[in-house]
Amino acid sequence: MGCRPAPASRYHIQDERNYCGASAAMMLLAEDNIPYNTLSQGALFASNHSHNANPLWETDPVGLEYTLDNHPQVQGRFFGVHKRLTQLDGTLDVIFSVCSKNRSCAVLVDYRHWNVVYDVQVNGNVAGGVYEVMGFCLHNPVWDRQWNSTVH
């Protein structure tokens, strides 16, 4: 059983090879009812990259957080960056965001690719603290040069 109803955002492919962070930003912003056709992955990537803590990354967590917090169409919401040192702590953060806050979250896979977790499949009661995680539902943006990315 999932923790939440279907999110407002739907999957979106990354428009360029290095735009997984921009695609993740686009999907998260869409949950605030910002239409895809008003978002440019090029602009999101530029914001992410120009605000990175580490300029060698395409999109690092600090750059992504800055872009989401400062997007002109988002008001009164703030995103957070959590760096956890254990798999358990990271998993608990994702479960809290998705199940308790009813929000998708971006996760960095293998320090190089952004995914969006939009639901968690659990067996048990998350609110009661007794549950088993059965799986995560992901939007994994991929790049495919055959895809016509001009239509959002």
Side-chain angles (χ1 to χ4, degrees):
M1 156 175 193
C3 288
R4 62 185 289 215
S9 68
R10 63 187 194 283
Y11 174 76
H12 198 286
I13 196 167
Q14 60 190 67
D15 292 345
E16 297 291 339
R17 175 195 58 75
N18 56 342
Y19 279 15
C20 61
S23 181
M26 181 179 255
M27 289 186 269
L28 293 173
L29 290 169
E31 283 197 16
D32 285 322
N33 297 313
I34 300 171
Y36 280 143
N37 64 357
T38 67
L39 297 168
S40 158
Q41 282 190 21
L44 293 169
F45 174 82
S47 177
N48 290 347
H49 191 67
S50 66
H51 295 96
N52 281 348
N54 183 339
L56 299 177
W57 286 42
E58 303 288 356
T59 296
D60 76 5
V62 173
L64 181 59
E65 179 186 29
Y66 177 89
T67 297
L68 294 171
D69 283 347
N70 293 283
H71 193 275
Q73 292 175 274
V74 174
Q75 297 178 4
R77 272 205 0 83
F78 296 97
F79 294 81
V81 172
H82 302 276
K83 179 182 179 184
R84 301 303 185 204
L85 300 179
T86 69
Q87 182 179 2
L88 175 61
D89 289 340
T91 300
L92 292 173
D93 281 347
V94 170
I95 292 168
F96 178 75
S97 177
V98 173
C99 298
S100 299
K101 295 292 188 180
N102 198 30
R103 298 297 303 190
S104 295
C105 60
V107 295
L108 194 55
V109 178
D110 199 26
Y111 291 98
R112 69 179 107 178
H113 185 67
W114 289 100
N115 282 252
V116 174
V117 178
Y118 65 89
D119 199 2
V120 179
Q121 299 293 310
V122 297
N123 184 9
N125 182 351
V126 172
V130 180
Y131 57 92
E132 177 182 15
V133 177
M134 306 304 287
F136 295 96
C137 300
L138 298 175
H139 286 317
N140 176 15
V142 295
W143 180 65
D144 183 349
R145 71 179 69 226
Q146 303 299 318
W147 184 265
N148 179 357
S149 62
T150 60
V151 179
H152 290 235

